[in-house]
C-alpha cells in the first residue's frame, strides 16, 4: 500500500475532526472512521508508519488516534 496516499487520506480525516474541541472524542472518531472504512492492509500500513517513522507527515490527531485506539 502506498503510504503517501494513506497519509494524505488520513490527514483529510484528521482535518475534518480537528473542528471537534474535545480532542479525546476527535481521536476516538478518527479511529472509528479508520476501522469502519479502511481495510486491514491500509490500517496495518498506517500503524506501521506511525511505529517506524513516528507518524512523520501525519496530522497529530491521527497519530494520537492510531497510538491510542487503533493498535
Amino acid at each position: 500500500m502506498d503510504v503517501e496516499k494513506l497519509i494524505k487520506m488520513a490527514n483529510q480525516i484528521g482535518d475534518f475532526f480537528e473542528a471537534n474541541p474535545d480532542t479525546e472524542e476527535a481521536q476516538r472518531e478518527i479511529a472509528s472512521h479508520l476501522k469502519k472504512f479502511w481495510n486491514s492492509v491500509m490500517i496495518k500500513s498506517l500503524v506501521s508508519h506511525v511505529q517506524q517513522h513516528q507518524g512523520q507527515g501525519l496530522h497529530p490527531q491521527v497519530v494520537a488516534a492510531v497510538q491510542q485506539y487503533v493498535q
Side-chain angles (χ1 to χ4, degrees):
M1 199 82 227
D2 181 10
V3 75
E4 292 302 318
K5 288 181 182 179
L6 295 178
I7 290 170
K8 182 178 178 180
M9 293 187 321
N11 284 341
Q12 290 171 335
I13 297 165
D15 289 343
F16 177 82
F17 287 106
E18 186 174 31
N20 188 336
D22 183 339
T23 57
E24 280 292 313
E25 182 180 4
Q27 291 168 10
R28 286 190 303 269
E29 292 292 328
I30 290 166
S32 175
H33 182 91
L34 294 173
K35 290 176 184 179
K36 280 183 188 176
F37 299 107
W38 285 32
N39 66 43
S40 63
V41 173
M42 295 166 74
I43 291 173
K44 286 178 186 178
S45 294
L46 186 66
V47 168
S48 177
H49 177 73
V50 169
Q51 291 173 341
Q52 294 177 6
H53 303 285
Q54 295 74 45
Q56 183 179 357
L58 280 170
H59 191 288
Q61 290 286 63
V62 173
V63 174
V66 168
Q67 291 172 333
Q68 293 182 39
Y69 301 107
V70 177
Q71 295 182 9

